[in-house]
Amino acid sequence: MTKLSVNINKIATLRNARGGNLPDVLKAAGDILNFGADGITVHPRPDERHIRYDDVINLKPLIKTEFNIEGYPTKRFLELVLKVKPHQVTLVPDPPEALTSNAGWDTVKYKTFLQEIIAQMKEEGIRTSIFVDTNPENIINASDTNTDRVELYTEPYARMFSDDPQKAIEPYVEAANLARKQGLQINAGHDLNLDNLEFFSKHIPFLAEVSIGHALICDALYYGLEETIALYKDKLAK
Ligand code: PXP
């Protein structure tokens, strides 16, 4: 079944708003796993405005299942990943000042760049994933980088879903099938939520993992974390 990795950046953002340790990011991560999530995702950004580099180091011993560190591969980010050795690193082409990730890799232009980083990560036993859109050229060239997985950038799906779910999912089904043919495993993330997740996972039954942050943490304001995780897991089980 598709794994649910919860992105906890928003919990860190809330903590950072007041400068203390409330909410406690480490406790929240442990609780999220105890409530049934399959993994934790963090996205350290250069200015540490969300999750901090030392949070990432402190989280490592708590996460025995799936720890995914995502981000733009600066020298400092890669040093952190090599120090922490998570189960998976997801490489994202977001500029430092971006509010959130807003595009996938151009895997033609950045092929050599990605190949070198991916080789280094794999040497250390870290599974690799790269964030991509559904453009077939980007998917085909992704496999030349030797990445283990691609993470499909689902914001365009989420935007179109309420108007035309069938049209929204089509490029993702094609991209996922193409990636699978290239021997790649498939992750997905960005703007997935309780409305659009079930439809997405039903159409891509071999989806390995989704990483979800913003909507899940917003839902937790109403349902609580435990109930929210059960609701998301239920969508993936359908
Ligand atoms: N995947 C990647 C690569 C991301 O950058 C993000 C947002 O940080 C997500 C998934 C999760 O997106 P959302 O917060 O919209 O669920």
Side-chain angles (χ1 to χ4, degrees), residues 7 43 45 70 92 100-101 131 151 189-191 211-214:
N7 180 320
H43 191 140
R45 289 201 156 84
E70 62 181 32
V92 183
T100 180
S101 316
F131 199 48
E151 179 180 331
H190 222 290
D191 291 304
S211 89
I212 307 184
H214 187 77

Side-chain angles (χ1 to χ4, degrees), residues 52-230:
R52 296 179 187 136
Y53 275 51
D54 64 346
D55 290 327
V56 180
I57 292 165
N58 294 333
L59 280 162
K60 172 65 200 276
L62 305 177
I63 305 169
K64 308 280 183 238
T65 47
E66 271 282 320
F67 192 20
N68 175 44
I69 306 181
E70 62 181 32
Y72 183 81
T74 58
K75 186 166 176 280
R76 186 171 171 231
F77 174 86
L78 293 172
E79 280 168 5
L80 176 72
V81 173
L82 290 172
K83 180 170 178 183
V84 172
K85 289 197 172 55
H87 302 92
Q88 176 175 275
V89 61
T90 301
L91 305 175
V92 183
D94 59 342
E97 68 283 1
L99 260 188
T100 180
S101 316
N102 51 14
W105 286 101
D106 176 337
T107 56
V108 179
K109 190 168 172 193
Y110 291 98
K111 191 182 287 184
T112 313
F113 176 74
L114 290 168
Q115 274 170 343
E116 285 170 10
I117 295 167
I118 286 166
Q120 198 188 359
M121 296 295 131
K122 287 173 94 166
E123 228 169 76
E124 296 298 322
I126 303 167
R127 190 204 307 135
T128 58
S129 181
I130 60 174
F131 199 48
V132 288
D133 62 25
T134 55
N135 179 338
E137 206 182 353
N138 281 330
I139 303 282
I140 289 166
N141 284 281
S143 74
D144 291 344
T145 67
N146 297 320
T147 187
D148 300 297
R149 296 187 182 186
V150 286
E151 179 180 331
L152 297 176
Y153 169 44
T154 47
E155 195 206 336
Y157 162 76
R159 244 189 293 117
M160 198 189 283
F161 176 79
S162 50
D163 287 339
D164 191 343
Q166 202 54 48
K167 193 165 166 215
I169 196 71
E170 266 164 28
Y172 289 85
V173 171
E174 278 171 28
N177 283 328
L178 184 58
R180 198 181 190 204
K181 254 196 229 150
Q182 313 282 320
L184 297 166
Q185 295 177 296
I186 327 289
N187 293 344
H190 222 290
D191 291 304
L192 293 174
N193 60 36
L194 285 174
D195 293 329
N196 62 31
L197 180 61
E198 182 181 336
F199 192 79
F200 193 88
S201 79
K202 263 196 179 150
H203 282 81
I204 306 175
F206 46 87
L207 192 60
E209 180 180 287
V210 287
S211 89
I212 307 184
H214 187 77
L216 188 150
I217 301 302
C218 293
D219 289 328
L221 293 174
Y222 288 90
Y223 303 118
L225 262 180
E226 185 165 10
E227 175 67 13
T228 300
I229 286 162

